[in-house]
Amino acid sequence: MYPPNEAVPVLPLPNPNRLQEQSVSIRDYVDLLIEGRKTLLIALAAVLTVTLVYLVLAPRTYKADALLRIDKNKALLAANLHGDNNQTPAEAESPRAQREVEILRSRSVLGKVVDNLNLAIEIEPSYFPLIGETLARKHDRHDGVAGAWWGFGRWAWGGEKAKVAAFEVPDRYLEKEFTLIALEHGRYQILAPNGAELLTGEVGQVVTAEIGEKTPVTIKIEVLDAHPGTHFELVRRTALSAIETLQKAFAVKEVSKDTDILSVELKGRDPEQLAKSVNDIAAIYVNATVNWESAEASQKLAFLESQLPIVKERLEKAEQGLSAYRQQHGAVDISAEAEILLKQASDMETLSIQLKQKYDEQSQRLESEHPDMMATNAQIKRVNGKLAALEKRIKDLPKTQQNMVSLSRDVQVNTELYTSLLNSAQEQRIAAAGSLGNSRIVDFAVTPEKPYWPKPGLLLAIASLLGLSLGSAWVFLRHSLQRHDNYPALLEYQVGLPMFAAIPHSKKQRKLAGLLGRDKDGGILVNEDPLDISVESLRGLRTTLEATLANHESKVIMVSSPAPAMGKSFVSSNLAALLASIKKRVLVIDADMRNGRLHETFGIGKQPGLSDLLAGRASLGEVIVSLPEVGIDLIPRGNMVLNPAELLVLGELAETLEQLKSFYNHIVIDSPPILGATDAAILGKHADATFLVVKEGRYTAQELEVSARRFQQVGIKPNGFIINDMKEGSSYYPYYGYAYQRADQEPAAAAGWTDKYHAVGDWLTKQLERDWVPAAAETDERS
């Protein structure tokens, strides 16, 4: 026989070091996610719903593309053709794709596209807000114009078409929205941005309206297919704004590195317009490159043709001078040394003239500080230096030979220069006639059949991952904000109290608690659902208590908690009912004279109770209420008092309990929380067993430890603690869920994926079981 409040010997506590090592595992996180599966499903469903709504309502975006080939060998061909031997090889051979990308995106190219296709004029039907465009998209254009839904004739519902050939407005009306209203018999009406009627016209005619500005409003509608009364939004944009809009939707990229194949892409909402725009961009760019190449060849040809008469005149004068000198002095022989000097001087002078021509040609397109210009100038200086040295040697010859060498050199130089200019001019004529540019269109754009965006598969996959991620983040955040300690075995070691029971969460009890909140009879779980898994856990607690207090003639059991809303009243009432079910006389005392609600749980009205008994306002027989449907008796809290602790001390509580022990086998006391009032410490002195009830997610080891210390300070040693409301799949109590029910009530698919998951988890737990059992020496010492 154990004296009151003496703890029953229990198994030795687990090894704390190994508990800490195993305090967190992957299974804990998986269990936490399984426990929060409703949150995961809600988050997933919410994100998927938003994604599906977006997929239905989002406007469809199409993409048209074309392929261009950039010929990087064109520079080498041009170099050989023009005789430009001084061009840098790296520049000739390097890919030109990156430079061509910027040219394609330039305003000079896109501006022509805007002008050719009238992209500065935007006209769109007015759709019903939010869902109108989606409904219009469902309509087949081959069926004509769709009828108005619900009588809303001003909105477009599918099949409407309008094309504007010209639309000019004053500058202050640019970028402002006009309204076009379709009328009967191919007529239309234009409303100004302020809503005033501006003009009325007919399809195919140019209509002008004076509005007091220098520039009138001019418009020509080519196509208008809509029911009378349908509204269109009409905007005339500036050229720069239209170009910038086109640049944002336009993309150019190299297909792969060093291939010089460019992909030209344009995104928008009108598939036919997209294909036309891309093909127009490609054609304008190719024509521009051809024109640039032809203009360059023409410029060089003009320069050569301007030099030909000058060189020809020089040649004729040199020939005449040489002929006159020979007639005057007769045939003059030139020595071998003079021949050599003549040849070298002729070559140097020819090269000098060619370099000067090259310098003049470069000066027309390059700055003087350009590296090519500086290199050519340096070559001219070196050649002139050599030519001066040769002339000095020629001056050492006899006077007759000097004159003969000089005249012959002039003739020879001008002859070579004139011949070279003739060849170069002919080559430039061929180049200008056959210039094809450095780009080719490989693939023309075609009208896209399917929208490029949105992509349902991609968006749904991203939404699923996002929903699961958000749900998991919310589960872990909520878990981290809860006040609890993770593992009961570690909690037993930290507090020094054994855990007597872990009561799972009961959905039935939640419904009963909801009935109490609506002022209806809630009842107790034992009577409403005897096979509930929470009741089975309480039966285990009852069996433990019967063994603990087996030798006591009267067993006073007090149930308390560290703080309110832990479930001590639930444990007290259902434990009493289970004790009564085994033919025990049981009395339940609601000792929480501040907030006790057991009278509501058992469905009785307010009447005299414990406070009235201790205050002397009622007798023992007047406060005991018999509950035959449950099989127990109840002493409710009674009327509200301001000094419950004083009543417990001065109200002859001990004598009353001794009197009750003579009749009842068990007395269950539902006491106030120990951390909130001293009532529990006073009541615990008269109890044979004291238990602390904590709710999962609402407690910490420090709270439980302080509660036990409060009892110990007045000489009371709590027998243990009870964890209430354990969630399904909870990682805090790994043996939760071993329910054993009747076969005729077990569903056919009871052994579902959850049971299989727990079976695998239990097998892994058994493999690590040796880490949780203390060594033999430690067991003996603890015993």
Side-chain angles (χ1 to χ4, degrees):
M1 175 178 177
Y2 298 97
N5 290 302
E6 183 67 27
V8 180
V10 296
L11 289 175
L13 294 175
N15 188 334
N17 296 328
R18 297 185 179 184
L19 281 175
Q20 292 175 358
E21 292 174 0
Q22 299 292 335
S23 59
V24 178
S25 65
I26 296 178
R27 183 182 177 185
D28 294 336
Y29 293 122
V30 175
D31 286 338
L32 184 61
L33 293 176
I34 293 176
E35 178 185 345
R37 61 183 178 274
K38 291 185 178 179
T39 303
L40 291 176
L41 292 177
I42 291 174
L44 179 60
V47 176
L48 287 177
T49 300
V50 173
T51 304
L52 289 174
V53 172
Y54 173 77
L55 288 174
V56 173
L57 300 180
R60 273 30 182 181
T61 302
Y62 296 85
K63 182 178 73 172
D65 56 1
L67 287 181
L68 295 177
R69 175 188 172 185
I70 308 302
D71 191 358
K72 66 182 180 181
N73 294 322
K74 188 68 178 297
L76 288 176
L77 180 61
N80 294 332
L81 186 62
H82 301 161
D84 190 1
N85 298 323
N86 295 319
Q87 182 175 0
T88 305
E91 179 182 357
E93 298 177 2
S94 61
R96 303 180 62 185
Q98 296 302 321
R99 288 180 293 173
E100 305 304 320
V101 167
E102 299 303 324
I103 295 175
L104 277 165
R105 295 181 56 84
S106 64
R107 288 192 295 270
S108 61
V109 174
L110 298 184
K112 293 181 181 180
V113 178
V114 170
D115 295 337
N116 294 345
L117 302 179
N118 287 330
L119 298 183
I121 303 173
E122 296 182 356
I123 183 168
E124 290 288 339
S126 296
Y127 295 107
F128 190 81
L130 193 62
I131 62 172
E133 187 173 357
T134 302
L135 296 176
R137 191 166 56 246
K138 300 296 183 182
H139 178 73
D140 191 352
R141 293 194 173 208
H142 297 90
D143 297 335
V145 181
W149 287 54
W150 309 302
F152 294 104
R154 64 163 294 177
W155 311 103
W157 300 99
E160 293 79 11
K161 184 186 297 184
K163 184 177 181 181
V164 183
F167 183 46
E168 299 295 335
V169 298
D171 291 343
R172 71 188 187 96
Y173 286 103
L174 293 172
E175 303 291 342
K176 293 186 178 181
E177 183 178 305
F178 291 77
T179 302
L180 185 148
I181 304 175
L183 303 177
E184 296 180 348
H185 308 298
R187 297 181 60 81
Y188 59 87
Q189 185 182 51
I190 301 294
L191 302 181
N194 59 4
E197 182 179 350
L198 190 61
L199 58 87
T200 301
E202 187 173 349
V203 175
Q205 296 181 355
V206 179
V207 184
T208 303
E210 296 290 341
I211 58 174
E213 298 284 341
K214 182 178 180 181
T215 303
V217 176
T218 304
I219 188 170
K220 179 182 179 181
I221 305 295
E222 285 188 350
V223 178
L224 181 60
D225 190 4
H227 285 301
T230 304
H231 286 53
F232 291 81
E233 299 172 357
L234 180 62
V235 178
R236 179 62 165 87
R237 308 186 64 182
T238 63
L240 181 60
S241 176
I243 292 173
E244 290 177 351
T245 302
L246 187 60
Q247 285 176 335
K248 292 178 181 178
F250 182 61
V252 185
K253 60 182 179 180
E254 193 172 6
V255 175
S256 58
K257 187 177 181 181
D258 296 337
T259 58
D260 290 325
I261 301 294
L262 299 182
S263 174
V264 182
E265 300 177 354
L266 187 62
K267 299 176 184 177
R269 299 173 60 179
D270 189 346
E272 295 180 358
Q273 186 70 31
L274 288 176
K276 292 179 181 178
S277 300
V278 172
N279 289 331
D280 203 22
I281 291 172
I284 290 174
Y285 166 73
V286 171
N287 292 335
T289 57
V290 172
N291 294 335
W292 292 335
E293 293 288 341
S294 178
E296 183 179 359
S298 300
Q299 183 180 6
K300 292 181 178 181
L301 178 60
F303 175 78
L304 293 175
E305 289 180 346
S306 66
Q307 296 293 319
L308 279 174
I310 299 174
V311 176
K312 184 177 181 181
E313 183 179 358
R314 291 177 182 174
L315 176 60
E316 291 176 351
K317 289 182 179 180
E319 290 177 344
Q320 292 175 2
L322 179 61
S323 177
Y325 186 82
R326 283 182 173 177
Q327 290 177 1
Q328 182 179 358
H329 298 83
V332 179
D333 295 330
I334 301 176
S335 63
E337 180 182 4
E339 286 284 349
I340 296 174
L341 292 176
L342 175 63
K343 181 69 171 62
Q344 292 178 350
S346 300
D347 293 342
M348 287 295 103
E349 190 168 356
T350 302
L351 181 58
S352 176
I353 295 175
Q354 290 177 347
L355 289 174
K356 288 179 180 179
Q357 291 178 347
K358 179 180 178 181
Y359 185 86
D360 293 339
E361 187 271 333
Q362 288 178 341
S363 63
Q364 297 180 9
R365 54 187 176 89
L366 300 176
E367 298 292 337
S368 59
E369 292 81 6
H370 193 276
D372 291 347
M373 294 281 290
M374 297 176 66
T376 304
N377 193 24
Q379 290 177 349
I380 292 175
K381 290 181 179 180
R382 287 197 298 269
V383 172
N384 289 339
K386 294 181 180 180
L387 185 59
L390 291 174
E391 289 180 350
K392 184 177 180 182
R393 293 178 60 186
I394 292 175
K395 290 181 179 180
D396 295 336
L397 297 175
K399 187 66 176 178
T400 305
Q401 290 189 357
Q402 288 183 20
N403 294 333
M404 194 64 184
V405 168
S406 178
L407 293 174
S408 300
R409 184 184 67 183
D410 290 341
V411 173
Q412 186 174 356
V413 168
N414 287 297
T415 301
E416 293 179 358
L417 186 59
Y418 184 70
T419 304
S420 176
L421 286 176
L422 285 176
N423 294 334
S424 297
Q426 186 63 27
E427 290 176 353
Q428 290 300 329
R429 292 189 186 96
I430 297 173
S435 179
L436 297 177
N438 67 329
S439 60
R440 308 284 187 276
I441 299 178
V442 179
D443 283 336
F444 286 91
V446 296
T447 302
E449 298 178 354
K450 296 181 179 180
Y452 169 77
W453 186 265
K455 298 180 179 179
L458 177 62
L459 287 179
L460 289 176
I462 295 175
S464 300
L465 292 176
L466 180 61
L468 293 175
S469 300
L470 291 177
S472 302
W474 176 248
V475 169
F476 285 113
L477 178 62
R478 182 180 60 188
H479 169 71
S480 63
L481 295 177
Q482 288 178 344
R483 303 173 68 244
H484 57 72
D485 286 286
N486 288 342
Y487 197 71
L490 182 58
L491 186 64
E492 288 178 331
Y493 177 82
Q494 292 175 344
V495 180
L497 293 177
M499 183 181 67
F500 267 68
I503 303 174
H505 173 76
S506 174
K507 297 180 181 178
K508 183 68 175 180
Q509 177 62 27
R510 186 175 182 180
K511 294 180 181 179
L512 295 177
L515 293 175
L516 287 176
R518 293 191 291 267
D519 296 330
K520 295 183 180 180
D521 295 342
I524 62 174
L525 185 61
V526 171
N527 287 357
E528 296 295 330
D529 191 359
L531 297 180
D532 190 272
I533 189 171
S534 298
V535 177
E536 291 297 332
S537 297
L538 288 169
R539 286 193 178 99
L541 176 60
R542 179 191 65 183
T543 303
T544 304
L545 290 179
E546 283 294 306
T548 303
L549 305 178
N551 296 327
H552 288 205
E553 294 180 359
S554 297
K555 296 99 176 177
V556 180
I557 306 169
M558 187 181 74
V559 181
S560 183
S561 64
M566 294 288 187
K568 58 181 179 56
S569 298
F570 164 75
V571 174
S572 301
S573 57
N574 285 274
L575 177 61
L578 288 173
L579 290 172
S581 67
I582 56 174
K583 305 302 181 181
K584 300 290 184 178
R585 295 188 302 275
V586 181
L587 173 67
V588 179
I589 301 176
D590 189 355
D592 189 353
M593 290 179 280
R594 294 176 174 83
N595 299 310
R597 297 183 61 186
L598 282 182
H599 59 283
E600 297 178 2
T601 302
F602 290 104
I604 62 175
K606 290 184 178 181
Q607 59 186 57
L610 182 63
S611 61
D612 302 283
L613 175 64
L614 297 178
R617 294 190 297 266
S619 63
L620 187 60
E622 292 175 343
V623 299
I624 297 178
V625 180
S626 180
L627 303 171
E629 67 277 3
V630 185
I632 64 174
D633 292 341
L634 170 67
I635 297 180
R637 74 179 187 187
N639 294 311
M640 191 72 65
V641 293
L642 299 178
N643 55 346
E646 286 75 3
L647 285 179
L648 292 174
V649 175
L650 303 175
E652 298 181 352
L653 176 62
E655 291 78 0
T656 302
L657 289 176
E658 288 298 330
Q659 187 178 355
L660 293 173
K661 286 180 182 181
S662 62
F663 182 76
Y664 292 101
N665 300 112
H666 296 284
I667 300 174
V668 180
I669 301 176
D670 182 9
S671 74
I674 182 61
L675 297 182
T678 188
D679 301 7
I682 299 173
L683 291 167
K685 296 179 181 180
H686 308 286
D688 298 320
T690 301
F691 297 96
L692 288 168
V693 178
V694 292
K695 186 176 182 179
E696 182 191 51
R698 295 285 304 277
Y699 69 91
T700 63
Q702 289 76 12
E703 289 179 342
L704 197 56
E705 186 176 0
V706 171
S707 301
R709 191 179 300 116
R710 288 284 181 89
F711 281 114
Q712 292 172 359
Q713 288 173 353
V714 295
I716 302 171
K717 186 175 183 180
N719 293 63
F721 66 93
I722 300 169
I723 298 181
N724 184 36
D725 200 24
M726 298 284 286
K727 300 298 187 295
E728 183 178 357
S730 173
S731 61
Y732 312 142
Y733 189 58
Y735 307 109
Y736 164 82
Y738 291 106
Y740 191 73
Q741 299 178 352
R742 292 168 50 186
D744 57 351
Q745 293 187 0
E746 183 72 15
W753 67 271
T754 305
D755 296 334
K756 296 178 181 179
Y757 164 74
H758 282 293
V760 174
D762 295 336
W763 179 82
L764 293 174
T765 302
K766 290 179 180 180
Q767 302 303 314
L768 301 174
E769 192 175 14
R770 62 180 182 272
D771 294 335
W772 299 90
V773 178
E778 296 177 352
T779 304
D780 295 340
E781 183 179 352
R782 291 180 181 273
S783 299

